Amino acid sequence: MVIWNNEYLNGLAMGWYFICINIAIQPFTSQLVVDVWLECEVELKKILKSGEYTFLMPLRVFVDSTTCFDIWLDADGDIQASEIYCERHL
């Protein structure tokens, strides 16, 4: 069993998320960006599947100390993500 550290997982998920946004808003995305996104997606799917991250139990990804988003695999095995939100630490 492979164990990923939190920093690696968080960085991978952030990369995937922000590349998705880039691809969505730019009609002409370079092939290099698409290739990096696909590599991130393949690795992230493996991790989300092995960690059993679902809509009910998503992976929380931190952009900074209070800003985050959630990601998970849907029933079809596709990665889904929430919008970015602020989490207040009490």
Side-chain angles (χ1 to χ4, degrees), residues 2-35:
V2 177
I3 298 175
W4 297 275
N5 69 36
N6 289 339
E7 187 175 321
Y8 172 78
L9 182 52
N10 202 74
L12 180 67
M14 274 198 323
W16 175 86
Y17 189 85
F18 290 107
I19 292 172
C20 284
I21 292 171
N22 183 53
I23 290 171
I25 62 173
Q26 291 191 351
F28 301 104
T29 303
S30 76
Q31 187 60 46
L32 178 60
V33 171
V34 172
D35 291 346

Side-chain angles (χ1 to χ4, degrees), residues 38-53:
L38 289 172
E39 287 177 26
C40 286
E41 181 153 324
V42 167
E43 184 70 13
L44 197 51
K45 278 185 177 185
K46 289 178 193 176
I47 294 168
L48 293 172
K49 184 176 181 177
S50 70
E52 299 180 358
Y53 293 104

Side-chain angles (χ1 to χ4, degrees), residues 26-90:
Q26 291 191 351
F28 301 104
T29 303
S30 76
Q31 187 60 46
L32 178 60
V33 171
V34 172
D35 291 346
V36 169
W37 174 74
L38 289 172
E39 287 177 26
C40 286
E41 181 153 324
V42 167
E43 184 70 13
L44 197 51
K45 278 185 177 185
K46 289 178 193 176
I47 294 168
L48 293 172
K49 184 176 181 177
S50 70
E52 299 180 358
Y53 293 104
T54 65
F55 177 74
L56 298 175
M57 299 278 292
L59 172 66
R60 181 158 297 148
V61 179
F62 286 91
V63 177
D64 60 29
S65 62
T66 59
T67 308
C68 50
F69 61 92
D70 297 327
I71 61 172
W72 63 91
L73 286 181
D74 64 16
D76 295 326
D78 295 323
I79 301 174
Q80 300 297 322
S82 70
E83 293 185 15
I84 294 177
Y85 60 92
C86 288
E87 179 182 74
R88 299 204 188 271
H89 296 281
L90 302 174

